[in-house]
Structure formats: structure tokens, C-alpha cells
């Protein structure tokens, strides 16, 4: 991983200023402490901060074609670079480095913007074609690496993190209430929205072409499930044969992500997904695995016995990273600065402490299990959908007249095209609660930024699909890309110059998952059935049979019980009133309710609105953002 920045004057005009690029790149030192590089030509400037992982000796960026016409800066990894290099060399291309990024230059010479279809990796890159005066930006298929941009004053400004854009003199600082609304109601931000007005995220699977003064954003990939009517009955396929293909794809994916010229490590949560990744790696690793786990003093959140069980089965060099409520409070400011958004839960502090431990012990790469829940029905919502569909089918058989839709069902119909698909618990109720929490001034503007006013995803990708595939698609778009892989993944790993890799998000693994019938994925009401059958050969049986345990840390109710005066400061009525986003009285009522005995961990998980209020105050302060005007 690295950090990239750049800008381009859309009307040609004067050349880019190196001093501006240096200021922008300087904000991303944590993403690339090993070297920096700059490219200025025509009306374009590019820069990179490098975290050297593949070919540390000769892989510095920017990298140019032999004739100098094509130059690229890339954040991320092209995992199939060795295979692409062989193919391109056979076609006559000459390589000057041993790194993975150089294949982008030669692929572009062969395929133009179609190069993205040949990549298996996690990447955001900026490529300048000097002969065509064309700038190309791209983000990987599922959105593992970030890329933000804005157009202001006739200039396109972009970078791996928003803080780099804010270092450009043309970029203003202002909150986007639509981003806040997404965080209040959804797991996190959803591309292209950010927390900053006028600044967008390039969505996963998209590229941008800047040419002749025009900015064209287009989709090149999406998670495309087959239509329900086209699904073959599960009995028509041999499950073991399908699971065998999936296992081979996972083995290949882990092997690709073990490729590095620096030490790498593994996260162990104590659950199935990370354990399976480490178990597969252990079968072929040339040396003892290094594993890392978070531990909590609170038994409600601790997975320590399961983590230790897996570590023993792997005979790994295991490291436990303790996280206390005090740590969470002490590092909330740090994680908000890196996440660049308010947070609904405090687990990001645990994640940043994990990556710090990985880096302190000499590793620059860590493999993790994200993506399995979204592909293999790992969340409770998938079971809920199956129960709801069964009840609806029985109801239709009993009566020919359907009941009128409830308000919640009408909302589901409008957002997802399926009244029975409830994404999030009581989304309509939560929407009412968040509106009451807003200040009167912000509430009056709600029709202008209400994130539920229109569909959040491409409904064409949901229409006609099996409900399990519908929810999987929503999880990819609303939970995975910008939350679990964004503020919860990339940002807290790169805060300590560590690259996180996700074997379940390999294109080959995704293709195998798409080919499985939903009844094989959620077998009866057993989630992640294919992975469990595969895992029997790699991890202890207790892990395979263990009930799903969601990652979480102390909610705001716990933090408020600790004697930390600065929490009181962020919730003080005078401060809330001055900032202008929330209603001071409503905040105090929420605080009183959250500190009541009846509120526990499960009540607040993913709906911790008071945590959003606290971290929104930190967010405003950290980025020197103005009060609501």
C-alpha cells in the first residue's frame, strides 16, 4: 500500500506546482514512510508516498513506460503481477523493475482503460497518458483501497485520503450533512459520499477518465448475481465439487496474498473466517505464522479462549493486544483523524492498536477475514430474510388478498425494491430518532440531504435476484466497501503503515461464491455452510461449530461511566449548541437513557447514536470544520 495524490487543471492552463504536491503528499506520510516521488508534466501533477512491500530496491514510484509517455502512481497491490508480467514480456514489453506496479504501464499500452479487467488485486491508481493528455483514475473492484476527489476552480484534486485534498489551496472545508445522515442510519459512509461537502469517493469498481477538459466516471465491474429464475436447483449440482472449487480458489488467494518481500502476519479474531485464512496459510508457509488478536477485560466481548485455541492449533507465534475502555477513550481522537468521519462504535481503536502491534513486531502486511460474511450469509439478517420469505409464502397460500404494506415495508420497497428485505434493524424508527436528534436548523434542511430519500444502490442489480443475493449485494455496497474496508480497515491499518489483505475478496473466490446456490450458502439456517465444510480440514472443530460472534468494543454507555472529563466537554449543551448540528436537549435525553441500567451492549450495537455525537464533535475539531451556518 501507499498514498497517492495529484491534481490536474481541466482547461490545460498553467503547470502543477511541486510545492503543493509536497504539502498534499506530506499529509500521507503514515501511508508511505519509505520514500516519496513526484511527476509534473503539462497541466498534471502526481505524487506518491511509498510503503515498500514488493521489490523494495527498485520499485519506487512514479513508474513510467520506457518512452516516458505513460506514468503511473499506485496505492495497493496487483497480486497477479507475476502472471501478467510473463504474458506482457512474451508480447515484447521490457520491464525495468521487479515490482507489481510496473505491469499497469504495460497493460495500459496494450489495453488502454481496459487494463482494469486484467487485474486481480487491491488498488487505486492514477495514470497519465502524455500523448493523449489523458488522466485515468481507478479503484479496485470491491473498494479495498480508497480514492477521493473534488473538482474546484476548474481543477481536479485527488488523493488516497481527504486530508491530502484539504492541503490543496483550492479545497474548502465544510461538512456534508448527507454524510452524517448516512453514518446515523447505515453501517457507515457509502460511496460516493464523504463527510466533506464537495468531496467524493470514487466508488468501487469505477474508473475516471479526464480528457479534453471533461471528467467521465464510469463503472467497469459490479457484483452481478444471477437472476433467481436462472438458478439451477441445488440438487442439480454436486456440492462437494463446488466446494472443492471454492477451496482451490481460497488456497490460491491466500497464496497470492502471502507474496511479499517483507514479513507478514495474520489477524485471529477467534471466529471462522480469520481462522480459516490462517489455517490455509499454515499448510504452505515456509516459516512459523505470526498471529495477532485483540483481548478485552469485559467477558461480553472477549474471544480470547477461541483465539488461543486457534493459535495453538497453528503453533503460531501469537501476540495478544489488550484493549481497555481507557485505551478506547485515549485513542478516539486518533482514530477519528485517520477515519475522517464520525464513528458509530469504538472498535476502530482496537483495530488501530492491532496494526500498531503488527508493525512494532516488524511486519508490514497482515491477512484478515473480511468479506466472508458478505459472500456466505454470515450475518443474522440472512436468516431473518429466509424466515420472512417462508412466512410470506405461507400467508400467500392461505389468502389471495395481500395485506397492506406497513410503513417500514414501504420504505424497504422504495430503497431496495423488496418490501420484505429489512436492511438494518427498524430503519424507519431509527430515521425518526436521528431526525429528533438533529438541531431544528439541520432538521429543516433534512429533505435536501436525507440519505433515505432515494435508492442508495443500483436497483437493477437487485431486481429479480434471490433475497440472499440481494442482501449480499447490499452488504457489499452499504457495509463492506467504505466501512469495514474503509474506516474500519484501510485507515486503521495504514495509520501504522501496515497493509491489510483480504483473501475472501479475491476475484476468483467471489466468482465461486456467485456460482453457489443460496440454499448451499445458507444450508437450512446454518450460515457459511461451504466455508464450514472446508474449514473442517484446517481449524479446530470448536471454531467450525461456534456460533457467530460479532466484533464490537465498549459502547458509549460504558465510556460515559468512566471518569473522563473530555467526554463531558464534547456533550456539553453549550458546545452542542455552538456546533449547530444536534439538539442539546435531545442529546442530554439520549445520554440519560444510554447511561441507564436497561441499556446494554446488544441494545447499542450499530445504533449507538450517542457515539456518533461524541465522535462528530471530535471530527469537527480535528479537521477545523465550521459550525453549521
Amino acid at each position: 500500500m501507499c498514498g497517492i495524490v495529484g491534481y490536474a487543471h481541466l482547461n490545460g492552463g498553467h503547470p502543477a506546482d511541486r510545492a503543493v504536491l509536497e504539502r498534499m503528499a506530506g499529509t500521507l506520510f503514515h501511508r508511505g514512510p519509505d520514500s516519496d516521488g513526484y511527476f509534473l508534466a503539462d497541466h498534471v501533477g502526481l505524487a506518491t508516498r511509498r510503503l515498500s512491500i514488493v521489490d523494495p530496491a527498485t520499485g519506487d514510484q512514479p513508474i513510467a513506460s520506457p518512452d516516458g509517455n505513460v506514468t503511473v502512481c499506485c496505492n495497493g497491490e496487483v497480486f497477479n503481477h507475476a502472471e501478467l508480467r510473463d504474458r506482457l514480456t512474451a508480447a515484447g514489453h521490457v520491464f525495468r523493475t521487479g515490482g507489481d506496479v510496473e505491469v499497469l504501464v504495460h497493460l495500459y499500452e496494450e489495453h488502454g482503460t481496459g487494463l482494469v479487467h486484467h487485474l486481480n488485486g487491491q488498488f487505486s491508481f492514477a495514470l497519465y497518458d502524455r500523448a493523449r493528455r489523458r488522466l485515468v483514475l481507478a479503484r479496485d473492484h470491491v473498494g479495498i483501497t480508497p480514492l477521493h476527489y473534488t473538482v474546484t476552480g476548474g481543477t481536479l484534486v485527488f488523493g488516497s485520503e481527504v486530508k491530502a485534498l484539504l492541503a490543496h489551496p483550492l479545497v474548502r472545508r465544510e461538512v456534508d450533512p448527507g454524510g452524517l445522515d448516512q453514518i446515523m442510519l447505515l453501517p457507515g459512509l457509502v460511496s460516493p459520499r464523504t463527510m466533506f461537502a464537495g468531496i467524493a469517493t470514487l466508488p468501487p469498481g469505477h474508473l475516471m477518465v479526464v480528457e479534453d477538459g471533461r471528467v467521465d466516471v464510469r463503472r467497469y465491474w459490479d457484483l452481478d448475481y444471477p437472476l433467481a429464475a436462472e438458478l439451477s436447483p441445488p440438487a442439480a449440482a454436486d456440492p462437494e465439487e463446488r466446494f472443492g472449487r471454492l477451496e482451490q480458489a481460497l488456497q490460491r488467494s491466500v497464496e497470492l496474498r502471502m507474496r511479499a518481500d517483507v514479513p507478514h502476519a495474520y489477524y485471529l479474531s477467534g471466529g471462522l473466517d480469520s481462522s480459516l485464512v490462517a489455517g490455509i496459510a499454515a499448510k504452505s508457509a515456509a516459516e512459523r505464522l505470526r498471529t495477532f488478536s485483540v483481548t478485552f477485560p469485559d467477558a461480553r466481548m472477549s474471544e480470547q479462549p477461541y483465539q488461543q485455541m486457534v493459535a495453538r492449533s497453528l503453533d503460531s507465534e501469537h501476540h495478544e493486544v489488550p484493549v481497555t475502555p481507557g485505551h478506547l477513550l485515549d485513542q478516539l481522537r486518533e482514530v477519528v483523524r485517520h477515519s475522517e468521519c464520525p464513528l458509530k462504535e469504538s472498535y476502530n481503536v482496537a483495530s488501530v492498536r492491532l496494526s500498531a502491534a503488527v508493525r512494532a513486531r516488524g511486519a508490514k502486511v497482515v491477512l484478515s477475514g473480511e468479506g466472508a460474511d458478505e459472500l456466505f450469509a454470515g450475518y443474522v439478517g440472512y436468516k431473518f430474510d429466509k424466515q420472512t420469505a417462508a412466512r410470506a409464502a405461507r400467508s400467500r397460500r392461505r389468502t389471495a388478498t395481500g395485506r397492506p404494506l406497513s410503513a417500514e415495508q414501504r420504505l424497504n420497497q422504495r430503497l431496495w425494491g423488496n418490501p420484505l428485505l429489512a436492511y438494518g434493524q427498524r430503519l424507519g424508527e431509527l430515521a425518526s430518532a436521528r431526525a429528533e436528534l438533529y438541531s431544528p436548523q439541520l432538521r429543516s434542511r433534512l429533505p435536501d440531504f436525507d440519505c433515505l430519500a432515494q435508492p442508495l444502490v443500483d436497483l437493477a442489480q437487485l431486481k429479480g435476484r434471490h433475497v440472499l443475493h440481494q442482501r449480499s449485494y447490499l452488504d457489499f455496497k452499504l457495509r463492506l466497501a467504505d466501512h469495514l474496508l474503509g474506516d474500519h480497515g484501510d485507515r486503521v491499518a495504514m495509520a501504522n503503515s501496515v497493509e491489510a489483505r483480504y483473501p475472501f475478496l479475491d476475484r476468483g473466490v467471489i466468482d465461486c461464491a456467485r456460482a453457489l446456490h443460496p440454499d448451499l450458502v445458507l444450508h437450512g439456517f446454518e450460515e457459511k455452510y461451504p466455508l464450514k465444510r472446508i474449514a473442517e480440514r484446517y481449524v479446530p472443530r470448536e471454531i467450525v461449530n461456534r456460533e457467530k460472534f460479532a466484533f464490537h468494543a465498549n459502547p458509549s454507555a460504558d465510556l460515559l461511566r468512566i471518569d473522563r472529563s473530555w467526554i463531558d466537554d464534547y456533550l456539553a449543551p453549550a458546545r452542542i449548541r455552538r456546533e449547530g448540528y444536534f439538539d442539546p436537549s435531545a442529546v442530554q435525553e439520549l445520554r440519560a437513557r444510554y447511561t441507564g441500567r436497561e441499556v446494554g451492549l446488544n441494545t447499542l450495537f450499530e445504533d449507538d447514536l450517542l457515539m456518533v455525537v461524541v465522535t462528530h464533535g471530535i471530527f469537527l475539531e480535528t479537521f477545523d470544520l465550521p459550525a453549521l451556518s
Side-chain angles (χ1 to χ4, degrees), residues 483-500:
H483 173 46
L484 294 182
L485 299 177
D487 72 77
H488 192 67
D490 170 88
R491 300 309 182 85
V492 289
M494 292 302 290
N496 292 298
S497 307
V498 171
E499 175 179 286

Side-chain angles (χ1 to χ4, degrees), residues 464-603:
R465 268 69 175 188
H466 189 282
V467 67
L468 183 144
H469 289 157
Q470 290 179 340
R471 182 172 290 275
S472 174
Y473 185 82
L474 292 178
D475 276 335
F476 258 71
K477 301 300 179 181
L478 305 182
R479 183 186 304 273
L480 184 66
D482 298 291
H483 173 46
L484 294 182
L485 299 177
D487 72 77
H488 192 67
D490 170 88
R491 300 309 182 85
V492 289
M494 292 302 290
N496 292 298
S497 307
V498 171
E499 175 179 286
R501 297 178 174 182
Y502 308 101
F504 287 107
L505 296 176
D506 182 274
R507 288 182 64 186
V509 175
I510 292 174
D511 286 343
C512 284
R514 288 175 58 249
L516 291 173
H517 191 282
D519 289 345
L520 291 179
V521 176
L522 184 61
H523 188 63
F525 284 94
E526 184 176 3
E527 77 279 2
K528 294 193 278 197
Y529 182 74
L531 297 187
K532 290 181 176 181
R533 300 290 72 78
I534 293 170
E536 290 170 348
R537 295 184 283 279
Y538 297 96
V539 302
R541 183 172 295 277
E542 293 87 343
I543 301 300
V544 176
N545 296 332
R546 186 185 175 204
E547 186 177 349
K548 169 74 175 175
F549 186 91
F551 298 138
H552 44 240
N554 296 80
S556 59
D558 287 355
L559 303 186
L560 286 168
R561 296 185 181 106
I562 302 173
D563 184 17
R564 295 294 174 111
S565 60
W566 67 268
I567 284 279
D568 292 332
D569 178 54
Y570 285 110
L571 294 177
R575 179 173 189 148
I576 296 293
R577 188 176 298 108
R578 183 174 66 251
E579 292 170 347
Y581 290 90
F582 298 106
D583 184 301
S585 298
V587 170
Q588 293 310 306
E589 290 176 10
L590 189 67
R591 174 174 182 162
R593 180 153 47 90
Y594 276 27
T595 52
R597 292 183 179 179
E598 75 281 2
V599 176
L601 191 70
N602 293 334
T603 304

Side-chain angles (χ1 to χ4, degrees), residues 200-219:
T201 298
L202 188 67
H206 280 65
L207 59 83
M208 174 191 294
V209 178
V210 183
E211 197 169 11
D212 298 327
R214 297 189 303 273
V215 177
D216 176 29
V217 176
R218 62 187 76 156
R219 183 171 66 187

Side-chain angles (χ1 to χ4, degrees), residues 405-457:
L405 297 179
S406 67
E408 197 78 28
Q409 289 173 331
R410 289 196 299 273
L411 178 62
N412 295 334
Q413 177 66 46
R414 177 160 52 82
L415 290 174
W416 328 124
N418 181 351
L420 302 181
L421 179 56
Y423 194 83
Q425 297 180 359
R426 308 175 311 279
L427 188 56
E429 293 180 28
L430 186 59
S432 297
R434 71 73 156 93
E436 293 173 3
L437 198 57
Y438 287 153
S439 67
Q441 183 181 7
L442 188 60
R443 198 181 310 135
S444 68
R445 301 183 190 176
L446 185 56
D448 297 328
F449 65 82
D450 183 355
C451 73
L452 303 183
Q454 54 191 4
L456 290 155
V457 300

Side-chain angles (χ1 to χ4, degrees), residues 125-255:
F125 66 76
L127 181 150
Y128 184 57
D129 179 343
R130 194 165 189 179
R132 295 179 175 85
R133 295 174 68 88
R134 172 198 288 170
L135 177 66
V136 180
L137 308 182
R139 188 177 178 201
D140 66 71
H141 301 71
V142 298
I144 298 172
T145 67
L147 187 58
H148 308 288
Y149 70 94
T150 186
V151 176
T152 176
T155 300
L156 170 74
V157 186
F158 61 89
S160 296
E161 297 184 13
V162 174
K163 57 180 66 69
L165 279 67
L166 297 177
H168 191 285
L170 290 178
V171 178
R172 62 189 175 94
R173 296 170 183 257
E174 185 178 338
V175 173
D176 183 349
L180 175 60
D181 207 50
Q182 287 187 346
I183 290 171
M184 294 286 278
L185 296 177
L186 303 169
L189 289 166
V190 180
S191 298
R193 186 76 70 176
T194 73
M195 276 298 300
F196 298 83
I199 297 177
T201 298
L202 188 67
H206 280 65
L207 59 83
M208 174 191 294
V209 178
V210 183
E211 197 169 11
D212 298 327
R214 297 189 303 273
V215 177
D216 176 29
V217 176
R218 62 187 76 156
R219 183 171 66 187
Y220 70 83
W221 185 90
D222 206 354
L223 181 61
D224 190 15
Y225 279 112
L227 295 173
E230 297 173 352
L231 292 171
S232 301
D238 179 1
E240 294 307 315
E241 189 268 337
R242 297 276 179 122
F243 297 170
R245 274 192 241 162
L246 175 61
E247 182 176 6
Q248 290 176 359
L250 276 169
Q251 290 170 338
R252 174 62 173 163
S253 176
V254 171
E255 175 193 329

Side-chain angles (χ1 to χ4, degrees), residues 347-367:
Y347 197 86
N348 283 20
V349 173
S351 299
V352 84
R353 290 181 61 78
L354 262 180
S355 66
V358 168
R359 186 61 194 242
R361 287 163 179 79
K364 286 185 175 182
V365 172
V366 65
L367 276 68

